[in-house]
Amino acid sequence: MTVVAKVGRGRAAEDRRSRHCPYLDTINRSVLDFDFEKLCSISLSHINVYACLICGKYFQGRGLKSHAYTHSVQFTHHVFLNLHTLKFYCLPDNYEIIDSSLEDVTVGERTVVRDGPIKLSTLQLPCVVTLLDLLICEYWHLFALSNVPPLRNYFLEEENYRGIRRPPGDIMFLLVQRFGELMRKLWNPRNFKAHVSPHEMLQAVVLCSKKTFQITKQGDSVDFLSWFLNALHNALGGTKKKPSSITNVFQGSMRIFSKKLPHPDLTPEEKEELLLTEEYQEKISESTFLYLTLDLPTAPLYKDEKEQLIIPQVPLFNILGKFNGSTEKEYKTYKENFLKKFQLTKLPPYLIFCIKRFTKNNFFVEKNPTIVNFPITNVDLREYLTEESQVTEKHTTYDLVANVVHDGKPTEGAYRTHVLHHGTGKWYEMQDLQVTDILPQMITLSEAYIQIWKRREDDDTPIHTGA
């Protein structure tokens, strides 16, 4: 009985100490930045890592000979968080801290929206920080993708993809995990800071792309977008026949009319003879797409009367004519040339336009500065559908929700993003740490590069343009 009493008193004392830690007021929430990679700076390990909640540093272990223990004694920093178990400990006394006031810290570390159904009007408008100029390159449209509600909502809940099985040794699922973490960071209404870091996400990009896309080297946004969407689709278990959250949101389909052309060096008689053969007859195929590439007309090389370079403008519907089923364009391969026409057969819930501004050759990259004039709302694509698809496709009108812009020279320029805040109907421009209101009329004057459009459904009200 005596032993039991001693144990009982010991447990009671331990519980009282756990629930009345005297050091909770020393926690400095302003230094807690769970966006950065949770890597112990001493041992370079992700295992059994503890975060000091007073200075924000990471240490491995909390035993008597650990760096966390030494740190607590040397600097009188006593409150630590285990980043795996999310339990709090007081060092050097080494007891667990139990206190409801620490809930906001665990929410910040988990980066999960925990207030039930997601309401856009109550979420904070997030901003992305350029850590070491990370996002000055091709990654700005990661934020544009976060403004697509069905995609964002899928990645906010880790349960949606936690059980997906991947082959042993496959690293591509890391991309899914890091993108999910980035979504939860961006849309966490309890963020300690008004910005988040994409550091871990971009490290996963470098690893999974086998350094095709790097943090410090500027690349092409469209190339990255194509790789990223397809990589996510495959990592989520999607195939050509099996859909994923990526294809459910962005995938449409088109009909391609292709006709092989005779070699230009042949005589007219030889060309005419070849055109009669089966190989040179028009062929029709069906293809899916995750985005549509829009070609700009060649920019003029001449100057006006005032010796200023002419910056041409073109309506969006002119370059959409590529998909009307009658506009032909020649495509050259290494050995053969083809004439192709395109016509849409299915429209996705969210449609991505990639405006082709850059042309590469053996010597340099050239940029086309043509301004595309486009309305913010009510873009109807019905006329670009095949006749049978016009009957089956009920909704064909789209509203803009995100616009990625490239400014400056091809290799030295910078990116900025316009996003629609769905809760307020206002437009914001984001570049580096700067977030400013912008009028919709100003968006149409920019050198748009990548756009995301939302299909309007029966229950949708017209998007407020903020004008």
Side-chain angles (χ1 to χ4, degrees):
M1 294 294 295
T2 305
V3 174
V4 173
K6 287 183 178 179
V7 172
R9 285 197 299 271
R11 287 178 178 175
E14 180 70 19
D15 183 69
R16 185 166 53 254
R17 187 167 62 163
S18 294
R19 297 181 183 276
H20 298 85
C21 178
Y23 303 113
L24 296 187
D25 59 348
T26 65
I27 296 175
N28 185 1
R29 285 170 169 78
S30 65
V31 302
L32 303 182
D33 200 341
F34 296 115
D35 297 330
F36 288 93
E37 186 179 11
K38 302 169 184 65
L39 182 69
C40 176
S41 58
I42 304 297
S43 61
L44 300 179
S45 173
H46 292 84
I47 302 173
N48 196 27
V49 175
Y50 289 79
C52 173
L53 301 189
I54 289 78
C55 66
K57 293 181 179 180
Y58 297 147
F59 304 93
Q60 187 178 29
R62 70 173 196 274
L64 290 176
K65 297 182 180 180
S66 68
H67 292 285
Y69 185 95
T70 303
H71 179 78
S72 68
V73 174
Q74 184 175 356
F75 297 96
T76 64
H77 292 178
H78 300 293
V79 186
F80 292 79
L81 169 66
N82 184 303
L83 296 182
H84 177 68
T85 64
L86 298 183
K87 292 183 178 181
F88 299 88
Y89 295 90
C90 179
L91 297 180
D93 297 343
N94 199 22
Y95 61 84
E96 183 181 352
I97 302 172
I98 302 173
D99 196 292
S100 59
S101 67
L102 299 175
E103 181 184 359
D104 65 323
V105 178
T106 59
V107 170
E109 203 286 327
R110 287 172 177 165
T111 60
V112 175
V113 178
R114 302 177 66 183
D115 294 329
I118 300 167
K119 297 181 180 179
L120 286 175
S121 58
T122 63
L123 293 179
Q124 294 180 349
L125 182 68
C127 167
V128 181
V129 61
T130 54
L131 174 64
L132 300 178
D133 291 333
L134 290 181
L135 292 185
I136 204 168
C137 46
E138 68 264 29
Y139 304 107
W140 258 115
H141 60 266
L142 288 177
F143 184 80
L145 292 175
S146 77
N147 204 43
V148 176
L151 185 71
R152 178 205 61 209
N153 295 351
Y154 177 84
F155 280 96
L156 280 178
E157 297 292 342
E158 192 176 2
E159 294 297 326
N160 290 333
Y161 51 86
R162 179 179 291 168
I164 295 176
R165 297 182 179 275
R166 299 297 301 169
D170 180 71
I171 63 171
M172 296 305 293
F173 195 70
L174 179 65
L175 203 65
V176 175
Q177 294 173 315
R178 293 294 181 256
F179 189 60
E181 290 174 2
L182 182 61
M183 292 301 100
R184 293 190 288 276
K185 290 175 185 178
L186 285 169
W187 292 104
N188 180 8
R190 300 185 185 181
N191 274 338
F192 294 126
K193 298 184 178 181
H195 60 265
V196 301
S197 164
H199 192 79
E200 291 179 286
M201 172 71 222
L202 299 190
Q203 283 189 327
V205 167
V206 174
L207 178 64
C208 294
S209 70
K210 298 180 180 178
K211 298 185 178 180
T212 300
F213 304 99
Q214 300 188 37
I215 293 175
T216 56
K217 183 180 178 181
Q218 184 172 1
D220 183 78
S221 279
V222 174
D223 290 344
F224 173 70
L225 177 66
S226 177
W227 173 84
F228 184 69
L229 292 179
N230 282 285
L232 280 182
H233 169 67
N234 294 330
L236 290 169
T239 63
K240 288 185 177 181
K241 295 183 178 180
K242 183 181 177 182
S244 69
S245 63
I246 303 300
T247 54
N248 289 339
V249 174
F250 295 117
Q251 183 172 278
S253 61
M254 68 173 71
R255 185 166 296 162
I256 303 174
F257 306 84
S258 181
K259 185 190 301 182
K260 186 176 179 180
L261 296 177
H263 195 280
D265 294 338
L266 296 177
T267 65
E269 293 78 13
E270 291 174 322
K271 291 180 182 179
E272 186 175 351
E273 182 179 349
L274 285 175
L275 289 174
L276 296 175
T277 63
E278 177 66 23
E279 183 181 358
Y280 289 82
Q281 300 305 303
E282 184 176 77
K283 294 178 175 58
I284 302 176
S285 61
E286 303 287 334
S287 177
T288 58
F289 64 84
L290 292 176
Y291 62 90
L292 294 178
T293 301
L294 304 183
D295 303 319
L296 292 174
T298 304
L301 302 177
Y302 305 103
K303 297 181 180 181
D304 60 17
E305 314 82 58
K306 298 181 181 179
E307 293 299 313
Q308 298 294 320
L309 285 175
I310 300 173
I311 299 180
Q313 300 186 28
V314 61
L316 175 64
F317 292 100
N318 282 21
I319 57 179
L320 277 172
K322 172 182 179 179
F323 301 99
N324 61 15
S326 59
T327 300
E328 293 183 323
K329 183 179 178 181
E330 184 174 350
Y331 290 83
K332 298 181 179 181
T333 65
Y334 180 70
K335 293 182 178 180
E336 300 171 322
N337 295 348
F338 293 87
L339 269 184
K340 291 187 178 182
K341 298 183 295 184
F342 306 91
Q343 198 165 18
L344 304 180
T345 55
K346 181 184 177 182
L347 294 172
Y350 285 81
L351 183 59
I352 301 178
F353 289 158
C354 295
I355 300 172
K356 191 175 181 180
R357 293 198 172 274
F358 300 100
T359 304
K360 300 177 183 178
N361 58 37
N362 294 331
F363 304 101
F364 56 88
V365 178
E366 186 177 5
K367 180 183 176 183
N368 188 327
T370 299
I371 300 296
V372 178
N373 296 320
F374 55 89
I376 298 295
T377 60
N378 294 316
V379 172
D380 193 350
L381 302 181
R382 182 170 296 276
E383 64 179 288
Y384 307 105
L385 289 166
T386 59
E387 291 185 3
E388 59 270 27
S389 297
Q390 290 184 20
V391 176
T392 57
E393 288 282 317
K394 185 178 179 181
H395 304 290
T396 59
T397 302
Y398 286 80
D399 299 324
L400 187 70
V401 295
N403 183 54
V404 179
V405 179
H406 183 274
D407 297 311
K409 297 179 181 180
T411 57
E412 301 175 5
Y415 290 92
R416 53 194 170 99
T417 301
H418 303 129
V419 293
L420 174 70
H421 189 251
H422 298 268
T424 62
K426 293 183 178 180
W427 281 91
Y428 293 87
E429 178 177 280
M430 301 187 177
Q431 185 173 29
D432 297 338
L433 290 177
Q434 301 299 317
V435 181
T436 55
D437 298 357
I438 185 171
L439 294 174
Q441 298 91 322
M442 300 302 295
I443 297 175
T444 62
L445 301 178
S446 61
E447 295 180 24
Y449 188 34
I450 296 173
Q451 297 181 326
I452 302 179
W453 297 78
K454 177 184 182 296
R455 184 170 61 188
R456 190 178 294 179
E457 308 291 345
D458 285 335
D459 56 347
D460 288 344
T461 55
I463 295 178
H464 176 54
T465 61

